[in-house]
Amino acid sequence: ISLFVLLLKSTEEYGLEITNNGPITTGAQATVHTTLRMKNDSTVSNLYHFNWIYAPLILIEKSEQRLNSVINVTGEFPGTFPVSVWVTHRNCWLCRPVARNVTMLQITEFVTGNLTIAQIEDSRFIKHGSSSSMGAVTRISFCLHDPSNYFKSASFVYNWDFGDGVYQITKEPFVYCNYSTMGNRTVHLKVVAEWEQIGSVIHETETVQKTGDFTTALELLDAVKSINVVGSRETHVMENLSLSLHINGTPPLALCWLIKSECIPLEGEKCHLVAISGSCYNLSHTFSDAGQYCLSVRVQNGVTMLQTYHEIKVWPTGIQPAFFVLLCIVLVSVMVGLVLYTTFRSNTQQKDLVEVLL
């Protein structure tokens, strides 16, 4: 029972985080980092020792501080290898570990990295994941993953296949392309790295070559070009207003709308957010107060975003705009008539008074 209590206490008081920067290629170095976390501040003053198991990997370097430890390892063969660590009190190596953890390090014989897709928008490169806008300039880039600078003396050749029958060979890790038709494409890239090194057997200069094959899916969408709001710009309090939004762009689309007393740019998700699979969306709204309002609309797909605004006048209940104008004309006419009648009446009284005096 006491052993179980001791183990439970260690689990509750300590946490051990472990990470690695793999995957790496054979011959390169990987860094494995671990940090001891303590939930009880009273144990911070203790000293600890980090114990590693990394075989069959080869240890290059090891460092240890108060609450963390780092090792650099390399591997001569591809595979996925466990690297484990456990922590004991420094003055009691044979005591039960206070924490332990394990990480899996992937080693491959190929070049490691990834492909990214970006488009030029307002003189900036904007990443869209796997989506791209049809007709715009797209940059496809290869990012080499080489944390130990293993390929520092290598020269690279990049063989590109854009998935539409177009091929290109470059010495730079990026290309620019412009697709003119919508649809899905698969971009293939073969990377060839080559350098010279001293051989381990005959100790003469030999040429070493490593390759890597990479693939990414590219979805070509038509940009959101326009948003047309169809419907009345006037309504009454407690009257249902129906509007239709017609969108020129490739679905699926994320539509965000908001009605306020003024037109505002829509940012984030502080609006009515809906997903539509077509090019048309109908919305209805009932106003509880009269006044001037604005419908703000934002539409975006995987590559572009567009906003538009639609002003709405809300009248009080029962008052028609035409009737209101007519009522104003009648009131003005009555006021003018009263002024003329008063003036005429005053002139007549003055004339009668003059005649009596004579």
Side-chain angles (χ1 to χ4, degrees):
I1 297 176
S2 61
L3 182 61
F4 174 76
V5 172
L6 179 60
L7 180 60
L8 181 60
K9 183 178 179 182
S10 298
T11 303
E12 291 176 349
E13 292 182 353
Y14 298 90
L16 191 61
E17 299 176 358
I18 183 170
T19 58
N20 70 78
N21 59 358
I24 61 168
T25 187
T26 51
Q29 294 184 24
T31 300
V32 185
H33 182 274
T34 185
T35 302
L36 182 65
R37 307 289 185 188
M38 286 164 290
K39 303 174 184 177
N40 188 352
D41 294 337
S42 63
T43 60
V44 176
S45 59
N46 295 335
L47 298 177
Y48 303 93
H49 181 72
F50 293 83
N51 308 273
W52 292 90
I53 296 180
Y54 42 79
L57 303 176
I58 302 171
L59 179 66
I60 303 298
E61 185 180 4
K62 176 184 177 181
S63 64
E64 185 171 320
Q65 297 181 359
R66 187 176 183 180
L67 297 175
N68 58 73
S69 179
V70 179
I71 63 171
N72 291 331
V73 294
T74 186
E76 298 178 351
F77 306 99
T80 301
F81 304 93
V83 179
S84 60
V85 60
W86 73 92
V87 181
T88 59
H89 292 283
R90 182 162 295 184
N91 56 359
C92 186
W93 285 25
L94 297 179
C95 294
R96 175 172 290 276
V98 298
R100 65 175 70 214
N101 207 342
V102 63
T103 184
M104 305 302 293
L105 175 63
Q106 182 182 355
I107 299 180
T108 175
E109 58 183 320
F110 303 104
V111 176
T112 59
N114 60 80
L115 291 174
T116 61
I117 299 172
Q119 284 196 302
I120 301 177
E121 293 182 11
D122 299 327
S123 302
R124 297 177 299 148
F125 285 103
I126 308 297
K127 292 184 178 180
H128 294 298
S130 62
S131 299
S132 186
S133 178
M134 181 190 68
V137 177
T138 301
R139 185 178 74 172
I140 307 175
S141 306
F142 172 72
C143 181
L144 176 68
H145 180 68
D146 185 25
S148 63
N149 207 17
Y150 178 72
F151 293 99
K152 60 182 178 181
S153 60
S155 59
F156 289 85
V157 175
Y158 304 91
N159 298 271
W160 304 88
D161 176 3
F162 299 105
D164 58 354
V166 178
Y167 303 86
Q168 189 174 351
I169 299 177
T170 67
K171 292 185 177 181
E172 295 79 20
F174 57 87
V175 290
Y176 295 92
C177 54
N178 193 330
Y179 292 94
S180 58
T181 57
M182 291 189 298
N184 296 324
R185 304 286 187 277
T186 301
V187 180
H188 299 275
L189 170 65
K190 182 174 183 178
V191 180
V192 180
E194 189 175 277
W195 69 99
E196 293 184 349
Q197 68 178 23
I198 302 299
S200 59
V201 179
I202 60 176
H203 300 287
E204 293 183 357
T205 301
E206 62 180 9
T207 300
V208 181
Q209 186 180 93
K210 283 183 179 288
T211 63
D213 292 297
F214 305 89
T215 301
T216 185
L218 179 60
E219 183 184 16
L220 295 166
L221 304 176
D222 193 7
V224 180
K225 298 176 181 178
S226 65
I227 306 171
N228 186 24
V229 182
V230 178
S232 176
R233 292 183 177 269
E234 295 182 347
T235 187
H236 292 84
V237 173
M238 304 309 296
E239 184 177 279
N240 185 47
L241 174 65
S242 296
L243 299 173
S244 180
L245 308 180
H246 298 269
I247 304 154
N248 183 4
T250 301
L253 301 166
L255 186 146
C256 179
W257 65 272
L258 188 65
I259 296 178
K260 289 287 186 180
S261 58
E262 58 183 358
C263 300
I264 58 173
L266 298 179
E267 298 179 356
E269 297 182 358
K270 296 182 178 179
C271 56
H272 302 282
L273 185 61
V274 293
I276 59 176
S277 58
S279 59
C280 184
Y281 179 77
N282 297 319
L283 66 88
S284 60
H285 187 77
T286 302
F287 296 87
S288 58
D289 298 306
Q292 190 73 29
Y293 294 87
C294 179
L295 167 66
S296 303
V297 180
R298 183 191 72 200
V299 177
Q300 63 186 87
N301 56 12
V303 292
T304 55
M305 183 268 291
L306 187 65
Q307 293 198 34
T308 191
Y309 307 98
H310 184 80
E311 294 184 349
I312 303 169
K313 177 66 176 179
V314 180
W315 299 93
T317 304
I319 298 182
Q320 299 289 338
F323 176 76
F324 181 77
V325 173
L326 180 60
L327 181 60
C328 290
I329 295 174
V330 171
L331 290 176
V332 171
S333 301
V334 170
M335 292 297 296
V336 172
L338 288 176
V339 171
L340 293 176
Y341 174 77
T342 303
T343 304
F344 176 77
R345 181 77 174 177
S346 177
N347 292 336
T348 303
Q349 290 178 351
Q350 291 179 1
K351 182 178 179 181
D352 292 341
L353 181 61
V354 172
E355 291 179 352
V356 170
L357 290 176
L358 293 175

